[in-house]
């Protein structure tokens, strides 16, 4: 850990006099701006990476200087002088940087944190466009404590999961601070020309005065980016042979888990295992890289947060596994952008968490005890990525998962049943940069092929699924105007029972009794018995003015009824045509009242392919940065009543009432040792109780190497139309022979996200994550709709709905006699009230004991429990997660990097 002390006044005066004088400068207008240029110098002697800048090459190399503020005084010369120089030898690019500070060492602010986790303090950032095609970004950043951040590589949206092997050394002295970097050419991708020119941008952030300055200037209301980068010229990089990097690992795991079923022989209190595997990275050609993994393990990955999902749709969780996270930006398809929008999603053809997912099948035979694997084992995965000097980007990923079987014990003894087939996943992605970086055109294709060993499983899952599409992004008039969009098709084939399941899924509910739809042709638009394939299409188009003080956009997003990508993508629903329009105004010139203000007004609406309006809203937002560097904002949504074709979960279309939503946000100055932020919200609806969310994110920095984050969260959520059960009832003539029970629900949730990061050195860290969580749901006022396509409902009275009590005295079973006729059938359903609590967390010690080689010590703990009551008591439910029995897993994992 680096310590700083207050410098004497005389030393501070000397530092100010030693800094070169600042020269007045006025950035050239965008129309006539000429990119800055800088020459890289070949190093004649070795460079000792110690941050001292005492090698001779640093006195001869020209410097990038004359930086310009983007904040807080846009367009004015930077108040702190910066000099950045570049040198190279046969193997690496070197950077020598001097960051002067008028207060000397006293003015430097820094934080010791894990790589890629810096959130506070000064930093120097380099952004390279190595192919010089005005589109790619490769980022290297360092702070005064030597903490590194990197993202890449050579893609429009640099991927922060990329972790190349490079070195940096920094020093704090009486003039400010210095940095030296060594970036091996083996870690970069660039053309193999004899003499090269790269685009480069240099940013410096000085936290003490909140000053963000840049070498090649553009204004905040411009699109900026690689087309406005400066130039790094004169690089002469010799040809290198093929390189191979190996990263084998070994781990040991100990699990201590309490059995949940008495007498279950598959559940053991203690379990121990070891495994080995590894990754390989090979340079196939000058710009094509192979990444492969064999028997991967992701034991050091942070656990997913807890949630309670009462909808018919799947919960989305972010990918956290390193192999799939790294380079994921290249495999993204169908960029989506909006100033303000809600209840809409981008095109998703590839959701990597499908690979290695929990088995989708179930044991169908009679069994007393069942042991189902928690996830599907990945036998191996490989990806080839690269980029050519002509602006073509390529990505190819293939993964194979093994067949998983469940062990079971039935009346006739033990048996096994396949619950997940052997599967091959393939993703191919290509993108071409055009018009000097002002346009891109891309294509993507995916394929899932399953090999079944069990006929029952083949009736549940498609035999193969494919998707493919094109996407584009075109800008003009100095990137002021933009058109972006995509178009994709999908096809899933298999047994007619598997395709029937997809037709009845919550993404489309083709089995609705009032579903009309278009006729089936090339694409599937409505339910049809015996189908062995499901086909659909989707698309997105946005036209926008995205630079200047006044900006606007108009967009549409479409999914046909038969569109289906969930075998390898993520799709919550199909069958919609969504439209959105917004106007946005920026005020970026600081005044005594604010530093910047943004205002957005707009509207959106959505129709099904049967032309039912199922979404409409008017919205507005305003946000500002105050002179104190506090951020404030608010937004409002008005949502009138609309039709809902998903609420009855396969029943007819009904109406949903109007609601309004108000959100506010506040965050304090991020430079302080205590940083607070909150964004409370309030919802009031035509039906059901009002809801609110209260949260606070508090970040404490008791020392330069310790960060503590606390995130308490409390919410009350409610609706008057919570789905409960659906029954076949021939007397329900007004509802197509279906009796669908709804109720009011009042749900309370409390949680506390806790994170502690303790950094001992930039390569040795300890991180803790813990989330106590409790959620209760109380169902009351059971009811039914009076008919299809109406808002009217009838609440069941005591004569229609009776309750059978359990031995504990709590409501256990409800008996429904909707027509009060003893001659007709009654219906029963269990009490849906719930009380769920959990405590999830892990602690990870990470030591990069040599560049690229890491040792992990991991402790994971989970506690969970549930009860059939829904009343909420703050004290009781806040303590409940800590009273559950803990399940513990301990992991030690070591990897060793072989490379150069």
């Amino acid at each position: 850990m680096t310590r700083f002390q207050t410098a004497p006044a005389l030393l501070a005066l000397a530092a100010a006099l030693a800094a070169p004088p600042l020269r007045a400068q006025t950035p050239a207008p965008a129309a006539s701006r000429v990119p800055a240029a800088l020459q890289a110098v070949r190093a004649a002697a070795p460079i000792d990476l110690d941050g001292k800048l005492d090698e001779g090459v640093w006195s001869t190399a020209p410097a990038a200087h004359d930086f310009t503020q983007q904040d807080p005084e846009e367009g004015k010369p930077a108040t702190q002088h910066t000099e950045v120089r570049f040198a190279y030898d046969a193997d690496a690019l070197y950077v020598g940087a001097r960051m002067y500070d008028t207060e000397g060492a006293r003015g430097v602010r820094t934080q010791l944190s894990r790589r890629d986790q810096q959130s506070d303090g000064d930093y120097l950032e380099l952004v390279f466009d190595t192919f010089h095609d005005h589109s790619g970004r490769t980022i290297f950043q360092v702070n005064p404590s030597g903490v590194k951040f990197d993202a890449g590589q050579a893609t429009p949206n640099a991927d922060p999961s990329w972790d190349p092997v490079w070195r940096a050394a920094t020093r704090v002295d009486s003039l400010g601070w210095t940095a030296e970097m060594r970036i091996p050419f083996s870690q970069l991708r660039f053309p193999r020309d004899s003499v090269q020119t790269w685009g480069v941008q240099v940013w410096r952030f000085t936290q003490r005065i909140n000053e963000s300055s840049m070498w090649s200037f553009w204004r905040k209301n411009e699109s900026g980016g690689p087309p406005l980068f400066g130039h790094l010229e004169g690089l002469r990089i010799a040809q290198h042979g093929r390189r191979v990097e190996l990263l084998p690992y070994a781990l040991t795991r100990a699990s201590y888990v309490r059995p949940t079923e008495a007498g279950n022989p598959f559940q053991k209190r203690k379990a121990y295992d070891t495994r080995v595997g590894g990754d390989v990275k090979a340079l196939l050609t000058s710009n094509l890289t192979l990444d492969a993994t064999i028997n991967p393990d992701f034991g050091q990955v942070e656990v997913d947060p807890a949630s309670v999902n009462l909808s018919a749709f799947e919960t989305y969780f972010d990918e956290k596994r390193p192999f799939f996270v790294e380079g994921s930006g290249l495999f993204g398809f169908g960029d989506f952008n909006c100033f303000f929008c809600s209840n809409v999603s981008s095109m998703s053809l590839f959701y990597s968490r499908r690979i290695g997912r929990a088995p989708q099948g179930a044991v169908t035979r009679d069994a007393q005890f069942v042991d189902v694997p928690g996830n599907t084992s990945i036998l191996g995965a490989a990806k080839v990525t690269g980029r050519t000097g002509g602006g073509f980007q390529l990505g190819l990923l293939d993964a194979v998962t093994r067949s998983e079987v469940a062990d079971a014990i039935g009346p006739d003894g033990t048996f096994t049943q396949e619950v997940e087939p052997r599967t091959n996943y393939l993703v191919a992605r290509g993108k071409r940069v055009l018009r000097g970086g002002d346009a891109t055109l891309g294509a993507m294709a995916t394929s899932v092929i399953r090999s079944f060993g069990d006929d029952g499983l083949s009736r549940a899952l498609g035999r193969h699924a494919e998707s493919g599409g094109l996407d584009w992004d075109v800008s003009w008039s100095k990137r002021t105007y933009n058109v972006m969009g995509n178009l994709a098709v999908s096809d899933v084939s298999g047994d007619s029972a598997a395709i029937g399941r997809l037709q009845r899924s919550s993404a489309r509910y083709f089995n609705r009794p009032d579903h009309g739809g278009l006729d089936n042709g090339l694409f599937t638009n409505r339910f049809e018995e015996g189908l062995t394939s499901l086909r659909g299409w989707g698309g997105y188009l946005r036209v926008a003015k995205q630079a200047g003080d006044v900006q606007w956009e108009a967009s549409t997003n479409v999914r046909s009824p038969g569109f289906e990508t969930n075998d390898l993508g993520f799709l919550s629903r199909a069958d919609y045509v969504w439209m959105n329009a917004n106007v946005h105004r920026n005020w970026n010139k600081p005044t005594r009242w604010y530093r910047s203000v943004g205002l957005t007004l707009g509207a959106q609406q959505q129709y099904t392919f049967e032309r039912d309006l199922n979404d409409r809203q008017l919205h507005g937002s305003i946000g500002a940065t105050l002179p104190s560097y506090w951020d404030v904002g608010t937004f409002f949504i008005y949502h009138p009543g609309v039709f809902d074709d998903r609420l009855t979960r396969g029943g007819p279309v009904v109406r949903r009432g109007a609601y309004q939503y108000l959100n506010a946000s506040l965050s304090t100055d991020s430079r302080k040792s205590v940083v607070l932020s909150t964004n409370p919200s309030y919802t009031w609806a035509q039906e059901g109780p009002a809801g609110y969310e209260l949260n606070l994110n508090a970040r404490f920095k008791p020392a330069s190497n310790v960060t503590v984050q606390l995130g308490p969260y409390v919410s009350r959520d409610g609706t008057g139309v919570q789905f409960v059960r659906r029954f076949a009832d021939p007397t329900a003539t007004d509802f197509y022979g279906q009796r669908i029970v709804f109720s009011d629900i009042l749900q309370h949730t409390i949680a506390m996200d806790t994170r502690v990061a303790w950094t001992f050195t930039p390569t040795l860290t300890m991180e803790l994550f813990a989330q106590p969580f409790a959620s209760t749901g109380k169902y009351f006022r059971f009811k039914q709709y009076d008919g299809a396509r109406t808002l009217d409902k009838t609440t069941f009275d005591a004569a229609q709905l009776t309750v059978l009590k359990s031995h504990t005295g709590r409501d256990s079973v409800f008996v429904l006699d909707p027509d009060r006729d003893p001659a007709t059938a009654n219906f029963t359903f269990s009490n849906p009230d719930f009380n769920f609590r959990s405590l999830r967390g892990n602690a990870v010690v990470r030591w990069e004991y040599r560049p690229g080689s890491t040792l992990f010590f991991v402790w994971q703990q989970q506690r969970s429990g549930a009860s059939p009551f829904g009343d909420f008591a703050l004290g009781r439910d806040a303590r409940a997660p800590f009273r559950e029995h803990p399940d513990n897993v301990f992991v030690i994992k070591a990897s060793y990097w072989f490379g150069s």
Side-chain angles (χ1 to χ4, degrees):
M1 182 178 68
T2 304
R3 291 179 176 267
F4 304 114
Q5 295 181 345
T6 304
L10 186 60
L11 186 59
L13 177 60
L17 295 175
L22 299 176
R23 295 191 298 271
Q25 84 188 66
T26 301
S32 60
R33 187 178 298 145
V34 178
L38 194 67
Q39 195 76 15
V41 175
R42 187 171 187 90
I47 297 177
D48 183 15
L49 214 67
D50 56 8
K52 291 184 178 180
L53 303 181
D54 54 1
E55 290 82 8
V57 68
W58 300 130
S59 63
T60 60
H65 55 90
D66 289 342
F67 281 50
T68 306
Q69 294 184 55
Q70 196 174 68
D71 278 312
E73 300 290 337
E74 184 183 30
K76 292 186 177 181
T79 63
Q80 309 301 307
H81 187 70
T82 305
E83 294 180 353
V84 181
R85 295 174 168 85
F86 297 89
Y88 68 97
D89 60 18
D91 299 313
L93 176 71
Y94 295 85
V95 181
R98 158 63 71 180
M99 280 60 68
Y100 291 95
D101 195 296
T102 52
E103 294 191 6
R106 292 187 311 168
V108 177
R109 302 289 185 268
T110 189
Q111 180 184 26
L112 195 58
S113 62
R114 177 181 162 180
R115 179 178 182 168
D116 293 342
Q117 300 296 316
Q118 179 188 346
S119 61
D120 200 12
D122 299 355
Y123 64 78
L124 176 75
E125 180 176 288
L126 308 174
V127 189
F128 295 105
D129 175 13
T130 54
F131 287 91
H132 204 206
D133 60 4
H134 293 173
S135 69
R137 289 178 170 90
T138 302
I139 299 174
F140 295 91
Q141 184 190 105
V142 68
N143 78 353
S145 295
V147 177
K148 298 185 295 184
F149 171 87
D150 37 52
Q153 69 163 314
T155 56
N157 299 312
D159 179 6
S161 67
W162 178 62
D163 283 332
V165 179
W166 61 288
R167 296 170 56 207
T170 59
R171 285 179 178 268
V172 176
D173 58 24
S174 61
L175 302 181
W177 65 286
T178 61
E180 278 185 313
M181 306 181 193
R182 183 183 186 274
I183 305 169
F185 291 130
S186 63
Q187 303 297 300
L188 301 173
R189 300 295 171 260
F190 45 83
R192 294 301 172 180
D193 300 332
S194 57
V195 180
Q196 303 211 16
T197 297
W198 295 356
V200 64
Q201 177 63 289
V202 185
W203 291 86
R204 179 185 175 185
F205 180 69
T206 307
Q207 190 203 43
R208 171 174 53 83
I209 53 177
N210 233 36
E211 181 175 289
S212 179
S213 59
M214 55 201 304
W215 178 49
S216 184
F217 178 75
W218 63 74
R219 295 188 178 277
K220 287 186 285 188
N221 63 4
E222 296 181 276
S223 294
L228 298 182
F229 280 10
H231 293 164
L232 180 61
E233 301 173 340
L235 289 168
R236 298 177 181 270
I237 306 173
Q239 293 286 341
H240 290 276
R242 296 184 180 180
R243 284 188 168 88
V244 177
E245 299 176 13
L246 300 177
L247 189 67
Y249 80 85
L251 72 80
T252 180
R253 177 186 288 109
S255 301
Y256 303 91
V257 179
R258 183 178 65 172
T260 57
E261 292 181 278
N264 189 337
F266 298 121
Q267 296 184 349
K268 299 179 180 180
R269 289 183 177 274
K270 301 178 182 180
Y272 307 94
D273 68 287
T274 59
R275 63 189 300 174
V276 295
D279 299 339
V280 59
K281 185 188 291 287
L283 193 60
L284 302 179
T285 68
S286 60
N287 289 308
L288 285 180
T289 303
L290 168 69
D291 291 273
T293 183
I294 301 172
N295 196 28
D297 179 87
F298 309 108
Q300 77 279 10
V301 173
E302 183 179 294
V303 295
D304 291 320
S307 66
V308 173
N309 185 352
L310 299 180
S311 75
F313 307 109
E314 178 184 7
T315 300
Y316 181 93
F317 291 108
D318 291 332
E319 178 62 271
K320 299 177 181 179
R321 299 170 296 176
F323 176 82
F324 294 106
V325 170
E326 183 173 347
S328 59
L330 180 60
F331 291 95
F333 176 84
D335 287 343
F336 184 94
N337 196 5
C338 68
F339 301 149
F340 192 113
C341 55
S342 61
N343 300 322
V344 66
S345 60
S346 61
M347 182 75 70
S348 172
L349 302 187
F350 178 44
Y351 177 46
S352 58
R353 289 190 66 142
R354 300 298 186 208
I355 303 174
R357 70 195 303 177
Q360 302 172 78
V363 173
T364 55
R365 291 171 55 185
D366 184 25
Q368 182 181 4
F369 298 112
V370 176
D371 182 28
V372 179
N375 61 277
T376 306
S377 297
I378 302 173
L379 298 176
K383 56 187 175 185
V384 176
T385 57
R387 183 185 176 102
T388 69
F392 182 76
Q393 303 171 41
L394 171 68
L396 185 67
L397 183 147
D398 190 80
V400 179
T401 59
R402 77 180 184 189
S403 170
E404 297 290 351
V405 298
D407 297 316
I409 299 177
D412 300 325
T414 62
F415 65 92
T416 62
Q417 183 172 340
E418 186 179 43
V419 291
E420 183 73 24
R422 184 185 181 95
T423 308
N424 188 87
Y425 299 90
L426 177 67
V427 183
R429 176 66 158 139
K431 184 180 286 188
R432 181 66 184 270
V433 178
L434 305 167
R435 298 179 62 224
D438 285 343
T440 60
L441 176 65
M444 187 167 183
T446 71
S447 173
V448 177
I449 300 176
R450 298 185 174 98
S451 300
F452 295 100
D454 186 290
D455 290 340
L457 199 55
S458 70
R459 291 191 289 272
L461 301 175
R463 188 166 297 276
H464 64 87
E466 286 78 33
S467 68
L470 301 173
D471 60 347
W472 58 88
D473 192 323
V474 181
S475 299
W476 67 94
S477 187
K478 297 180 177 59
R479 296 199 170 192
T480 299
Y481 299 94
N482 174 265
V483 174
M484 64 185 302
N486 56 72
L487 184 65
V489 295
S490 68
D491 177 90
V492 183
S493 299
D495 189 273
S496 59
I499 301 306
R501 180 186 63 84
L502 292 177
Q503 294 186 81
R504 291 186 291 270
S505 75
S506 60
R508 51 193 59 82
Y509 287 131
F510 279 179
N511 56 314
R512 274 188 10 244
D514 59 344
H515 192 285
L518 307 173
D519 292 336
N520 288 336
L522 178 61
F523 298 107
T524 313
N525 295 305
R526 65 179 183 181
F527 188 85
E528 185 175 324
E529 291 283 0
L531 284 182
T532 57
S533 65
L534 183 74
R535 300 188 183 97
W537 65 276
Y540 168 69
L541 183 66
R542 175 181 182 261
V543 181
K545 179 178 181 287
Q546 57 186 21
D549 292 336
V550 178
Q551 304 173 17
W552 53 262
E553 66 177 352
S555 58
T556 184
N557 199 31
V558 183
R559 303 291 183 270
S560 82
F563 190 70
E564 172 62 38
T565 61
N566 276 318
D567 289 276
L568 192 50
F570 188 93
L571 177 75
S572 293
R573 64 173 296 156
D575 189 12
Y576 64 83
V577 180
W578 175 90
M579 294 157 276
N580 173 274
N582 290 297
V583 176
H584 180 75
R585 175 68 163 93
N586 287 311
W587 289 270
N588 289 322
K589 185 177 180 180
T591 70
R592 60 179 296 191
W593 302 106
Y594 60 80
R595 293 188 178 276
S596 63
V597 174
L599 172 68
T600 301
L601 298 173
Q604 71 178 46
Q605 63 181 12
Q606 178 176 287
Y607 289 86
T608 68
F609 272 57
E610 296 179 80
R611 300 184 180 179
D612 282 331
L613 176 70
N614 61 3
D615 180 61
R616 176 170 286 168
Q617 72 178 44
L618 300 174
H619 52 250
S621 70
I622 185 168
T625 299
L626 305 180
S628 62
Y629 292 102
W630 285 36
D631 291 314
V632 296
T634 185
F635 69 85
F636 175 79
I637 298 175
Y638 169 70
H639 194 291
V642 295
F643 289 110
D644 195 321
D645 59 338
R646 299 295 196 268
L647 189 61
T648 56
R649 303 193 185 186
V653 173
V654 292
R655 285 193 67 86
R656 182 187 286 271
Y659 72 85
Q660 295 82 42
Y661 179 82
L662 177 65
N663 176 279
S665 62
L666 172 69
S667 61
T668 64
D669 188 347
S670 63
R671 299 172 297 171
K672 304 300 183 181
S673 58
V674 177
V675 181
L676 305 176
S677 64
T678 182
N679 58 329
S681 64
Y682 188 82
T683 304
W684 58 102
Q686 182 178 353
E687 301 178 285
Y692 61 82
E693 292 183 8
L694 300 174
N695 60 75
L696 177 68
N697 184 57
R699 190 174 84 228
F700 306 95
K701 295 169 281 188
S704 64
N705 65 329
V706 179
T707 301
V708 179
Q709 286 185 272
L710 300 176
Y713 171 88
V714 178
S715 72
R716 187 183 95 155
D717 192 17
T719 177
V721 283
Q722 175 62 46
F723 176 88
V724 179
R725 285 289 299 275
R726 183 175 65 246
F727 306 96
D729 183 359
T731 68
T733 56
D734 292 335
F735 227 62
Y736 298 88
Q738 296 186 18
R739 185 75 61 183
I740 304 179
V741 181
F742 294 88
S743 80
D744 286 42
I745 184 175
L746 188 59
Q747 183 179 357
H748 291 85
T749 300
I750 56 175
M752 168 75 84
D753 287 356
T754 305
R755 298 177 188 273
V756 178
W758 190 351
T759 306
F760 306 100
T761 72
T763 59
L764 178 59
T765 60
M766 181 179 70
E767 294 179 304
L768 169 70
F769 167 76
Q771 185 204 46
F773 175 92
S775 184
T776 68
K778 182 65 177 177
Y779 290 73
F780 59 99
R781 200 177 296 125
F782 293 88
K783 66 192 74 173
Q784 66 181 4
Y785 274 89
D786 292 343
R789 311 184 74 81
T790 182
L791 189 65
D792 299 330
K793 304 172 199 66
T794 298
T795 300
F796 298 122
D797 59 29
Q800 295 171 296
L801 189 67
T802 57
V803 181
L804 301 180
K805 301 287 185 177
S806 70
H807 67 279
T808 64
R810 294 187 181 274
D811 296 347
S812 179
V813 176
F814 292 86
V815 180
L816 176 63
D817 182 11
D819 57 5
R820 304 182 181 88
D821 185 350
T824 59
N826 294 342
F827 308 97
T828 62
F829 57 93
S830 300
N831 173 23
D833 291 350
F834 64 88
N835 181 300
F836 173 78
R837 56 269 184 186
S838 72
L839 174 60
R840 300 185 178 194
N842 63 349
V844 179
V845 175
R846 181 183 187 274
W847 177 31
E848 189 175 355
Y849 58 92
R850 65 184 299 270
S853 304
T854 311
L855 183 63
F856 290 96
F857 297 90
V858 183
W859 170 38
Q860 294 181 344
Q861 184 180 103
Q862 295 200 39
R863 304 168 182 244
S864 63
S867 300
F869 57 86
D871 61 295
F872 177 73
L874 179 61
R876 178 199 66 194
D877 294 323
R879 294 188 298 268
F882 301 94
R883 294 174 175 170
E884 300 296 332
H885 185 276
D887 293 334
N888 293 290
V889 177
F890 300 91
V891 177
I892 300 176
K893 178 179 179 181
S895 64
Y896 191 92
W897 181 75
F898 295 91
S900 59

